[in-house]
Amino acid sequence: DQQVKQNSPSLSVQEGRISILNCDYTNSMFDYFLWYKKYPAEGPTFLISISSIKDKNEDGRFTVFLNKSAKHLSLHIVPSQPGDSAVYFCAASAGGTYKYIFGTGTRLKVLA
Amino acid sequence: SQTIHQWPATLVQPVGSPLSLECTVEGTSNPNLYWYRQAAGRGLQLLFYSVGIGQISSEVPQNLSASRPQDRQFILSSKKLLLSDSGFYLCAWSETSGNNEQFFGPGTRLTVL
């Protein structure tokens, strides 16, 4: 049972436009969420996180939105740059535990 | 600053051979340690995690095992590799308290032939 889902395996966006990556979850106990970026043949790198007590967290070009009632979060990248082309994973954990459940990833391609 | 090392970077092994992948973390004490696998076209699957020396939790039944002989060393092993063990193996660490992001190593690409 996939508790964290990224239903779009790939996304293409023009440089300078907004990229929106979506993530849905099923476990209502999840209360902390993260986004990671991964280049081929490298380990993922942490981008941004959000706690369930918030509905938005912003860091530079990256903003994460959390809709708890819909069990949905999204990552917005504005403006998108070619260097943002990578696979993006969302991850979730429950109750301060150290176990994260990762989604299957979305491959973002930013076109110059 | 903290760093995490994994080796080897790539590995090609025949079916039935043993496996040992090593992960070490520098610059922190008593980290939580994790092994993940990313199979081709799949997401990150948590295989094992450890909250201390000798403490290993397995997330999925499989052909692999993990050990933590030292505080900052995490080893992934197999006695006999299967074709299905091929994938990209990632080690990660996190602080032990509260919600903390995980920091990943560079990964090992394992191909079982």
Side-chain angles (χ1 to χ4, degrees):
Chain A
D1 176 34
Q2 189 70 26
Q3 296 185 66
V4 178
K5 300 177 184 178
Q6 293 176 257
N7 292 317
S8 298
S10 63
L11 174 69
S12 291
V13 173
Q14 284 295 131
E15 181 179 7
R17 307 293 285 269
I18 184 171
S19 295
I20 300 177
L21 299 112
N22 294 305
C23 180
D24 297 291
Y25 60 96
T26 58
N27 188 342
S28 58
M29 300 300 292
F30 287 149
D31 59 3
Y32 195 71
F33 305 88
L34 305 94
W35 283 94
Y36 283 84
K37 173 181 177 179
K38 184 182 180 302
Y39 293 116
E42 293 183 12
T45 53
F46 169 73
L47 272 179
I48 193 168
S49 62
I50 188 167
S51 164
S52 60
I53 62 173
K54 292 183 161 184
D55 54 18
K56 176 182 174 181
N57 189 25
E58 192 171 352
D59 184 1
R61 297 187 296 116
F62 302 92
T63 303
V64 56
F65 295 92
L66 176 61
N67 182 333
K68 291 184 288 293
S69 61
K71 295 191 179 67
H72 176 84
L73 64 156
S74 60
L75 174 68
H76 293 211
I77 307 173
V78 182
S80 301
Q81 300 173 353
D84 296 329
S85 298
V87 177
Y88 290 78
F89 292 96
C90 64
S93 74
T97 67
Y98 27 73
K99 282 173 51 179
Y100 286 95
I101 306 298
F102 280 78
T104 51
T106 296
R107 182 177 302 279
L108 172 66
K109 187 171 184 180
V110 180
L111 307 169
Chain B
S1 64
Q2 301 89 359
T3 55
I4 178 168
H5 304 279
Q6 279 187 251
W7 63 91
T10 60
L11 191 59
V12 180
Q13 291 284 99
V15 169
S17 64
L19 173 74
S20 181
L21 302 181
E22 189 164 343
C23 170
T24 58
V25 181
E26 295 176 357
T28 187
S29 296
N30 195 32
N32 291 331
L33 296 171
Y34 311 82
W35 278 111
Y36 288 87
R37 175 171 58 202
Q38 184 185 15
R42 306 280 298 275
L44 295 173
Q45 182 185 34
L46 178 63
L47 302 175
F48 301 95
Y49 68 93
S50 170
V51 299
I53 295 174
Q55 299 179 62
I56 308 295
S57 296
S58 174
E59 287 298 296
V60 293
Q62 60 203 309
N63 184 42
L64 302 167
S65 62
S67 62
R68 185 170 176 174
Q70 300 180 48
D71 180 45
R72 290 169 290 174
Q73 184 185 31
F74 206 22
I75 297 172
L76 184 69
S77 305
S78 173
K79 291 183 180 177
K80 287 186 179 181
L81 283 169
L82 307 172
L83 286 173
S84 58
D85 292 323
S86 294
F88 191 56
Y89 288 83
L90 289 155
C91 180
W93 74 273
S94 71
E95 299 287 357
T96 53
S97 57
N99 288 315
N100 287 290
E101 59 266 28
Q102 295 177 2
F103 299 94
F104 285 82
T108 295
R109 169 74 58 195
L110 173 65
T111 303
V112 183
L113 302 175

